[in-house]
Amino acid sequence: MIRVHEVWEALEAKIPSALQESYDNCGLQVGDSSAVATGVLCCVDVTEAVIQEAIERGANVIIAHHPLLFKGLKRIGTSSYIERCVRLALQHGISIYAAHTSADNAPEGLNYLLARDLGLKQVRVLEPSPNLLVELVTFVPRAHTEAVSAALWEAGAGRLGAYDSCSYRSQGEGTFRALDGAQPFVGQVGTLHREQEDRLSVVLPAYLQSRVEEALLRSHPYETPAYSFVGLQNQDRTTGSGIIGDLPEPLPLRTFLSEVESYFHTRQLRYSVTTKECVSRVALCGGAGAFLWRKARALGADIFITGEAKYNDYFDCEGAPVLVTVGHYESERIASQLFAQVISEKIANFAVYQSELDSNPITVL
């Protein structure tokens, strides 16, 4: 029996809501997290039609890319689609969860899938997120270093890019004297004790600090272990906005634009005026990502693909890189595939659906 919270916790393991931008509202939007989950419907937007689709499929969990609730509601009536969606979801016991900029920023998230589908190689984050890493330093009696390290790694520490189980260890001698009331693991009360210890250091995402601290206290043999968490200025180069990578071989601009148009199933592809004839390095960001075009230029991108841009953005970039917009919805349609894939990998034998509805609010002739 799967609970609602287990569904979104499975998604959180891969797409932590802690990675969302400050303005966003990812996470549980509506519903009872302790209810039994009967199935999940993945979508881009929550609409009344999407909720009805979930009802018909017997799924009482909806995972959406765009949050239904961005601002607080003063009433839950019928005057807006948001109010009507909340009412309908509550009436039918449906929980709604959103993974928006968390899915954009996550390693192997939405932008990574777009880059993969477009055939980009040597992909990397376009604008890495700053101040997301902390370092844990602790001191462990040498015979227990491996067990403590394993517990910290299991909790999510020691992962750097495409590597895990990362740590640094140096040997030394620790001293302490247990006072009255203490129950020391080694040494005697009232006697200065010297112990051969390892200084163990691991790096972890800041949002995992509580989990890693619990793992440390659970696995460390000392009654009162010494440890510290220190914030790092390092950029987490696996996490952040946008993706940049290289095509296997240069392509004529018009050929690549045709491939982009076909892949995104768009009828509104637009691009800036340019003299560029071929493209090799491609940057992209789903949704409203035009703010990244300067970063794309600095990293040598020939072309930058996003969902939408302002009129002046096409002027300002001066065709370097070529600014391409394919439509906001079109650029993020892949979100439902991402969510379904993550949940199916984490929870076996559970009904996971991708919405078959086109919730794009923009109609093109």
Side-chain angles (χ1 to χ4, degrees):
M1 187 164 50
I2 304 297
R3 301 287 177 179
V4 169
H5 69 84
E6 294 179 77
V7 176
W8 54 261
E9 284 169 0
L11 195 66
E12 282 272 340
K14 188 82 170 181
I15 306 174
S17 56
L19 298 181
Q20 68 183 299
E21 299 294 336
S22 58
Y23 62 81
D24 208 355
N25 187 34
C26 298
L28 187 65
Q29 309 269 293
V30 177
D32 179 4
S33 62
S34 65
V36 175
T38 59
V40 60
L41 177 67
C42 304
C43 63
V44 178
D45 301 281
V46 178
T47 65
E48 293 164 273
V50 168
I51 295 175
Q52 190 60 46
E53 181 183 12
I55 294 170
E56 293 171 358
R57 289 182 179 274
N60 66 345
V61 182
I62 294 176
I63 305 291
H65 185 46
H66 293 139
L68 178 66
L69 302 176
F70 257 117
K71 301 176 181 179
L73 292 177
K74 293 185 177 181
R75 68 183 67 83
I76 303 177
T78 59
S79 61
S80 71
Y81 88 92
I82 295 176
E83 294 177 27
R84 294 192 298 273
C85 282
V86 172
R87 283 171 56 92
L88 187 58
L90 291 174
Q91 288 170 355
H92 291 272
I94 291 177
S95 297
I96 300 173
Y97 177 96
H100 186 212
T101 52
S102 56
D104 296 333
N105 293 338
E108 300 188 10
L110 185 148
N111 291 312
Y112 174 86
L113 287 189
L114 293 177
R116 182 200 64 185
D117 286 356
L118 289 173
L120 302 188
K121 307 296 183 183
Q122 298 177 321
V123 297
R124 54 208 182 276
V125 174
L126 188 57
E127 186 173 66
S129 299
N131 305 321
L132 286 182
L133 298 175
V134 296
E135 179 189 23
L136 165 63
V137 176
T138 189
F139 303 88
V140 188
R142 196 156 299 154
H144 295 265
T145 300
E146 293 300 331
V148 173
S149 297
L152 298 179
W153 295 334
E154 179 66 24
R159 296 177 185 174
L160 295 172
Y163 299 85
D164 67 8
S165 304
C166 301
S167 69
Y168 181 79
R169 309 167 187 191
S170 57
Q171 297 182 348
E173 184 179 78
T175 65
F176 57 84
R177 180 167 56 200
L179 303 178
D180 289 342
Q183 297 180 344
F185 177 71
V186 290
Q188 302 296 321
V189 173
T191 302
L192 181 65
H193 179 77
R194 300 177 184 275
E195 181 73 22
Q196 296 302 303
E197 295 179 334
D198 288 337
R199 182 185 189 275
L200 176 63
S201 169
V202 292
V203 174
L204 59 135
Y207 63 85
L208 290 180
Q209 181 170 326
S210 294
R211 184 194 302 178
V212 171
E213 185 174 19
E214 290 176 3
L216 172 66
L217 297 177
R218 186 173 59 250
S219 61
H220 202 293
Y222 285 174
E223 181 181 22
T224 308
Y227 64 96
S228 60
F229 286 97
V230 179
L232 302 178
Q233 295 298 312
N234 308 44
Q235 291 179 327
D236 182 352
R237 297 190 176 277
T238 66
T239 303
S241 303
I243 285 286
I244 187 168
D246 299 314
L247 293 170
E249 57 184 28
L251 286 177
L253 174 62
R254 294 304 295 267
T255 299
F256 184 62
L257 289 177
S258 294
E259 292 182 4
V260 169
E261 181 181 41
S262 176
Y263 170 72
F264 286 103
H265 303 287
T266 183
R267 297 171 57 195
Q268 50 179 319
L269 187 146
R270 301 174 180 180
Y271 62 99
S272 56
V273 175
T274 183
T275 59
K276 193 176 295 292
E277 295 182 354
C278 286
V279 295
S280 179
R281 180 159 294 175
V282 179
L284 58 85
C285 181
F291 68 96
L292 290 169
W293 73 260
R294 290 179 178 82
K295 188 68 175 181
R297 172 189 283 179
L299 294 178
D302 300 308
I303 191 168
F304 176 61
I305 305 166
T306 189
E308 59 180 281
K310 296 178 181 178
Y311 179 77
N312 278 350
D313 290 331
Y314 297 92
F315 272 119
D316 294 343
C317 72
E318 299 181 296
V322 181
L323 176 59
V324 179
T325 57
V326 297
H328 193 119
Y329 175 84
E330 288 82 353
S331 72
E332 296 184 323
R333 183 189 284 114
I334 200 172
S336 59
Q337 176 186 328
L338 170 65
F339 302 153
Q341 179 179 310
V342 170
I343 294 170
S344 295
E345 289 174 354
K346 294 285 185 178
I347 306 177
N349 302 317
F350 183 66
V352 180
Y353 307 101
Q354 295 182 50
S355 177
E356 297 178 355
L357 299 178
D358 184 342
S359 60
N360 192 351
I362 300 173
T363 301
V364 181
L365 286 175

